[in-house]
Amino acid sequence: MNKAEMVEALEAQLGGRKQAVTAVEAIVELITLTVAKGDKVAISGFGTFEKQARNARTGRNPRTGEAVKIKKTSVPRFRPGTAFKEVVSDTKALRAFQAAAKERAGSTGAAPATASTATAKKTTATAKKAAPATRTAAPAARTATAAKKTAPAARTATTAKKAAPAKTAPAKTAATTRRVAKKA
């Protein structure tokens, strides 16, 4: 997802494209300037942005192999938070997070243009608590799968095309292998 796609995704929640563009640009600018000054930006549940110093060192030119001096510099660093890592690595946590996000979007309609840190903390807590809710959705998925199995006539032509085996190259026979060995 790039910046333009992020604006499009936030457009409905913030009440318009102009508000979404302003919000995304303000957040990026705020994080950039704060980290450039040397301060740390910590967003609970998401991660931490900070400035990291790299000492001067000696590197190698890949073409010539010659030693090259690299100056001392500073680079931005992002460390993901535990809730972010959990959602990325665990599909159950991801489903719970998505359900919580849909619930927030459905219950409030359009979200206000500014969100507080307390709201972000509640979101993380809700996502963690909502994990058992995915267990109730699983039987519904199983019944849908069972319905597909019981009604083979309902399959579409595209499904039948996907199920067709892919063409493969013919396997080498023993005779082909012997001919190759004799030529060598």
Side-chain angles (χ1 to χ4, degrees):
M1 173 179 275
N2 61 25
K3 194 173 182 180
E5 292 169 340
M6 189 178 291
V7 167
E8 287 178 21
L10 291 173
E11 203 171 319
Q13 292 180 354
L14 297 178
R17 183 166 182 81
K18 189 173 183 178
Q19 289 86 356
V21 168
T22 304
V24 169
E25 287 179 356
I27 289 171
V28 170
E29 182 181 323
L30 180 65
I31 291 172
T32 304
L33 292 176
T34 304
V35 171
K37 285 192 296 188
D39 294 338
K40 184 168 38 169
V41 177
I43 303 170
S44 63
F46 181 66
T48 305
F49 297 90
E50 59 190 347
K51 185 176 184 178
Q52 183 179 18
R54 286 191 182 166
N55 292 328
R57 61 194 187 279
T58 304
R60 297 255 173 226
N61 182 338
R63 285 187 181 174
T64 62
E66 179 183 335
V68 178
K69 291 183 180 179
I70 301 171
K71 295 179 182 179
K72 179 180 177 181
T73 187
S74 296
V75 294
R77 179 180 180 199
F78 175 73
R79 287 185 296 152
T82 54
F84 184 38
K85 287 180 193 176
E86 184 178 319
V87 169
V88 170
S89 67
D90 186 15
T91 56
K92 286 184 181 180
L94 174 62
R95 283 190 225 123
F97 188 79
Q98 287 173 332
K102 285 182 183 178
E103 183 179 309
R104 276 192 327 274
S107 65
T108 60
T114 59
S116 66
T117 308
T119 307
K121 289 180 182 178
K122 287 178 187 176
T123 303
T124 305
T126 307
K128 289 180 180 177
K129 289 178 184 176
T134 58
R135 292 182 189 142
T136 59
R142 285 188 207 125
T143 56
T145 306
K148 287 180 183 176
K149 289 180 182 176
T150 57
R155 291 188 181 155
T156 62
T158 57
T159 307
K161 288 179 185 176
K162 289 179 184 175
K167 293 183 180 180
T168 58
K172 290 185 178 179
T173 61
T176 308
T177 311
R178 280 187 221 124
R179 278 188 240 136
V180 172
K182 285 182 182 179
K183 287 181 182 179

